[in-house]
Amino acid sequence: MTAARRIMVLTLASLAVAAVLPFVGMEVLPFGVALDPGGDSVASVIFWQIRLPRVVAALLAGAGLAVGGAAFQAMFRNPLATPYTLGVASGAAFGVSLVTRLGVSAVVFGVALDSVAGLSGALVAVTVVWVLYRLRPATSTMVLLLAGVAMSFFFSSLILFLQYTAALGDSYRIVRWLMGGL
């Protein structure tokens, strides 16, 4: 099977799954609810205001993560490269864990503080690895990858420390965020 055909099959499969998922949940919704976008029934509200936006958000998030992963793989010319490679994911997780551990909850310019903390943690991780690379520009991408893996382990250990020192509720929220969800 050619690469183009594989991509077409995977695209069609993901669209088929995205078309079926809004109907599946704790209670299976009838397919007729899709034809009633302005309906007042409970099933219509669940479909149009809860499940469909959630499926679309998941599809867009998955596509964004796939593009990010492909960018890492192209940048390092390594099919095993991921956002964990440079410590980006661990840095972001540390930022959110720190905000959760401190018990800070706010909205900054319409964005939740945990999202801002995640972005900040990811930027710190990338900045540290970039500075290390700039100090010795003749280093290979393998050294850059190893520095990123070291950053990943460093941030992971800080997350474990935050969990260890956190109250039970905060530790639960940290683990819940790290596990992910929509």
Side-chain angles (χ1 to χ4, degrees):
M1 185 183 287
T2 65
R5 180 167 275 186
R6 268 188 255 150
I7 290 173
M8 182 62 73
V9 167
L10 290 174
T11 301
L12 291 175
S14 62
L15 290 176
V17 168
V20 172
L21 279 180
F23 297 101
V24 180
M26 288 183 94
E27 188 171 318
V28 177
L29 299 177
F31 286 108
V33 77
L35 303 173
D36 189 22
D40 293 333
S41 69
V42 174
S44 180
V45 170
I46 289 172
F47 180 84
W48 288 102
Q49 294 181 14
I50 298 173
R51 290 188 184 174
L52 188 64
R54 194 172 183 159
V55 168
V56 170
L59 191 66
L60 292 174
L65 290 171
V67 168
F72 271 95
Q73 290 173 356
M75 182 170 58
F76 291 109
R77 294 178 193 92
N78 186 336
L80 299 177
T82 67
Y84 293 94
T85 306
L86 288 182
V88 174
S90 297
F94 172 72
V96 174
S97 298
L98 183 62
V99 167
T100 302
R101 169 66 178 86
L102 295 176
V104 180
S105 177
V107 176
V108 179
F109 300 115
V111 178
L113 186 60
D114 58 349
S115 298
V116 173
L119 179 63
S120 301
L123 288 174
V124 166
V126 168
T127 302
V128 168
V129 172
W130 181 76
V131 166
L132 290 173
Y133 180 74
R134 295 296 294 170
L135 290 175
R136 296 189 60 194
T139 58
S140 68
T141 57
M142 189 61 70
V143 173
L144 185 63
L145 290 173
L146 289 174
V149 169
M151 286 302 300
S152 181
F153 281 121
F154 175 71
F155 281 120
S156 294
S157 65
L158 290 177
I159 291 168
L160 287 174
F161 176 75
L162 289 176
Q163 283 180 300
Y164 180 75
T165 60
L168 184 60
D170 290 338
S171 181
Y172 174 78
R173 281 190 286 281
I174 290 170
V175 170
R176 179 76 188 234
W177 190 90
L178 291 173
M179 290 176 68
L182 275 174

